[in-house]
């Protein structure tokens, strides 16, 4: 059985050897931050203005939320007001020539239809984002599902 003194000597050595192994493999890692130190903040990236009047954009996977084809900066969406519903709610959509909110947004978790937007669907930009002409942040090989090509 190992003595208490030996445990106190071996444990730090194991930790230090593990750190040395981890540090040796860290040289080939890359970061979107580049060489910037972790205690520095990069300049905030500005998201390009949305592509306007592009019409309905094709979706690339089943159940993809539609993109927003207009600016939403300064839109008020909080617990008391949802500015999106002033155009896209069922009451005003036809008059505003805007797509109506999907009927699924009026269902609760149990599938029961509510008389108003479900609380879990109230904050639109959790799923819907403005369409932009921004390029890819990282290269990828994503392809739309076959049925949507």
């Amino acid at each position: 059985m190992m003595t208490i003194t030996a445990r106190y000597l071996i444990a730090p050595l194991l930790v230090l050897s593990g750190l040395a192994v981890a540090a040796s493999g860290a040289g080939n890692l890359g970061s979107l931050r580049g060489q910037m130190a972790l205690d520095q903040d990069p300049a905030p990236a500005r998201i390009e203005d949305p592509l306007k009047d592009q019409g309905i954009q094709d979706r690339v996977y089943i159940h993809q939320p539609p993109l927003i084809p207009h600016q939403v900066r300064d839109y008020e969406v909080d617990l008391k007001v949802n500015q999106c519903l002033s155009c896209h709610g069922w009451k005003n959509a036809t008059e505003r020539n805007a797509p109506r909110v999907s009927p699924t947004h009026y269902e609760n978790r149990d599938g029961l239809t509510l008389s108003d937007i479900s609380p879990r669907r109230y904050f639109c930009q959790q799923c819907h984002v403005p369409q932009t002409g921004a390029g890819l942040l990282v290269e990828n090989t994503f392809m739309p599902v076959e049925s949507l090509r």
Side-chain angles (χ1 to χ4, degrees), residues 18-30:
L19 290 174
V21 169
S24 68
N28 56 3
L29 293 177

Side-chain angles (χ1 to χ4, degrees), residues 65-86:
L67 297 172
I68 303 170
H70 56 78
Q71 182 62 262
V72 292
R73 184 173 288 137
D74 299 326
Y75 265 44
E76 185 176 7
V77 178
D78 57 35
L79 292 175
K80 296 181 181 182
V81 176
N82 182 327
Q83 192 171 347
C84 302
L85 296 176
S86 64

Side-chain angles (χ1 to χ4, degrees), residues 112-134:
L112 300 173
T113 302
L114 306 173
S115 61
D116 205 351
I117 295 287
S118 171
R120 67 188 184 125
R121 301 289 189 116
Y122 184 78
F123 294 98
C124 307
Q125 291 187 57
Q126 289 181 139
C127 300
H128 301 277
V129 296
Q131 59 196 30
T132 71

Side-chain angles (χ1 to χ4, degrees), residues 2 19-20 45 60 91 96 117 129-130 144:
M2 193 180 297
L19 290 174
V60 294
K91 179 180 177 182
R96 301 285 179 102
I117 295 287
V129 296

Side-chain angles (χ1 to χ4, degrees), residues 1-19:
M1 187 173 224
M2 193 180 297
T3 66
I4 293 176
T5 307
R7 285 186 196 166
Y8 285 117
L9 291 173
I10 292 174
L13 290 174
L14 290 174
V15 169
L16 289 174
S17 65
L19 290 174

